[in-house]
Amino acid sequence: MRHRRAILKGRDSLCNGTTGLYFEKPDGFEFKPGQFANFTLDAAIATDAGGSTRSLSIASAPHEKDLMVAMRMRDTGFKRVASTLPIGAPFLIEGPYGNLILHRDIARPAVFLAGGIGITPFRSMIWHATEVGSAHRIFLFYSIRRLEEAAFLKELREIQELNPGFKFIPTITHPGEIPHRWRGELGHITQPGLTKWLPDFQVPIFYIAGPPGMVTGMRQILGEVGVSDDDIRAEEFTGY
């Protein structure tokens, strides 16, 4: 698969510790919501032992003008460089890749289980479903440590108002830091918490995206209630 050049158009803070990068969408670059691409710094810049390429989920939907990705800002060479490059700097993009895409059978609801930066592919999928008027019923469970670390929170609540088939269930895992007038759940995503919103675990298709430990934990919970591995699609997000 050939590389395409993408020009950095903008950068902003999506929440505490997470930066959004916006690129001109390369000619001919097409992707399905939920997929990712390899982003390479198009310059002879020293980054870190991981090299100058990272796989990043595409957070924008296909209908949006710009190509957008989001990164948790950790102290790695790649992220330091990516966060300081001037607007207009070129990247190389290879892809798209990945099978974390919405199933076709609209009779089966989609249940998205997101942890932290794992929200990025779901943002693309939900916006696209809303844009095209999909009949899919979608539930998004979004686990965040603190309110200030929740990317796209306001936007996802707005989408819920636009799309009657979309239900947004955010939850804060640090109960000692709950802000006043919090509209959401408390604690980690659990089997009782899922049962509160899902009447039947055998009907939906489940999608999991987040840190490896979170993905493992969600798989265990779903297995305990009898969800088949064939009905679970997962993608791990490791920090680099």
Side-chain angles (χ1 to χ4, degrees), residues 24-143:
E24 292 182 4
K25 192 180 299 182
D27 291 340
F29 183 80
E30 298 181 357
F31 66 96
K32 295 178 181 179
Q35 291 189 304
F36 65 90
N38 292 332
F39 287 76
T40 300
L41 298 168
D42 187 23
I45 302 174
T47 56
D48 52 40
S52 58
T53 300
R54 293 295 187 275
S55 296
L56 300 171
S57 285
I58 301 170
S60 52
H63 71 274
E64 294 182 283
K65 180 180 178 181
D66 296 332
L67 197 65
M68 189 258 283
V69 299
M71 299 189 305
R72 287 290 296 169
M73 298 313 297
R74 305 186 189 280
D75 189 23
T76 65
F78 180 92
K79 292 188 176 183
R80 283 196 300 272
V81 172
S83 65
T84 57
L85 282 174
I87 302 305
F91 281 65
L92 295 178
I93 299 180
E94 184 182 26
Y97 303 106
N99 296 311
L100 195 76
I101 56 179
L102 191 62
H103 60 277
R104 294 186 178 183
D105 185 358
I106 61 173
R108 305 193 68 181
V111 178
F112 297 160
L113 306 174
I117 197 62
I119 192 63
T120 49
F122 297 139
R123 190 260 182 201
S124 177
M125 296 165 77
I126 292 164
W127 252 131
H128 179 72
T130 302
E131 172 69 15
V132 303
S134 170
H136 281 90
R137 186 84 172 103
I138 300 174
F139 296 82
L140 170 62
F141 294 83
Y142 183 15
S143 176

Side-chain angles (χ1 to χ4, degrees), residues 3-240:
H3 288 83
R4 295 178 171 88
R5 282 170 62 90
I7 303 301
L8 183 65
K9 289 183 63 176
R11 181 190 298 112
D12 68 4
S13 175
L14 299 175
C15 64
N16 186 20
T18 299
T19 295
L21 301 178
Y22 301 81
F23 299 88
E24 292 182 4
K25 192 180 299 182
D27 291 340
F29 183 80
E30 298 181 357
F31 66 96
K32 295 178 181 179
Q35 291 189 304
F36 65 90
N38 292 332
F39 287 76
T40 300
L41 298 168
D42 187 23
I45 302 174
T47 56
D48 52 40
S52 58
T53 300
R54 293 295 187 275
S55 296
L56 300 171
S57 285
I58 301 170
S60 52
H63 71 274
E64 294 182 283
K65 180 180 178 181
D66 296 332
L67 197 65
M68 189 258 283
V69 299
M71 299 189 305
R72 287 290 296 169
M73 298 313 297
R74 305 186 189 280
D75 189 23
T76 65
F78 180 92
K79 292 188 176 183
R80 283 196 300 272
V81 172
S83 65
T84 57
L85 282 174
I87 302 305
F91 281 65
L92 295 178
I93 299 180
E94 184 182 26
Y97 303 106
N99 296 311
L100 195 76
I101 56 179
L102 191 62
H103 60 277
R104 294 186 178 183
D105 185 358
I106 61 173
R108 305 193 68 181
V111 178
F112 297 160
L113 306 174
I117 197 62
I119 192 63
T120 49
F122 297 139
R123 190 260 182 201
S124 177
M125 296 165 77
I126 292 164
W127 252 131
H128 179 72
T130 302
E131 172 69 15
V132 303
S134 170
H136 281 90
R137 186 84 172 103
I138 300 174
F139 296 82
L140 170 62
F141 294 83
Y142 183 15
S143 176
I144 54 176
R145 293 187 299 176
R146 302 173 182 85
L147 181 62
E148 60 269 22
E149 296 177 1
F152 311 120
L153 185 65
K154 181 175 182 290
E155 183 179 32
L156 290 166
R157 285 177 168 154
E158 292 172 349
I159 297 174
Q160 184 173 228
E161 297 299 319
L162 297 173
N163 185 348
F166 171 51
K167 182 62 180 178
F168 180 39
I169 306 110
T171 182
I172 290 180
T173 62
H174 281 51
E177 303 176 22
I178 305 303
H180 184 56
R181 296 181 181 177
W182 165 244
R183 292 180 295 143
E185 301 291 316
L186 302 178
H188 294 278
I189 301 172
T190 61
Q191 187 267 324
L194 294 173
T195 302
K196 178 179 177 180
W197 300 95
L198 306 176
D200 189 343
F201 282 89
Q202 306 309 311
V203 178
I205 301 293
F206 291 85
Y207 301 76
I208 312 169
M214 180 264 186
V215 172
T216 298
M218 292 298 97
R219 280 189 176 276
Q220 181 175 345
I221 288 174
L222 296 178
E224 290 173 351
V225 295
V227 177
S228 168
D229 284 343
D230 293 338
D231 294 334
I232 302 174
R233 302 172 185 179
E235 192 166 286
E236 295 183 356
F237 284 65
T238 56
Y240 38 58

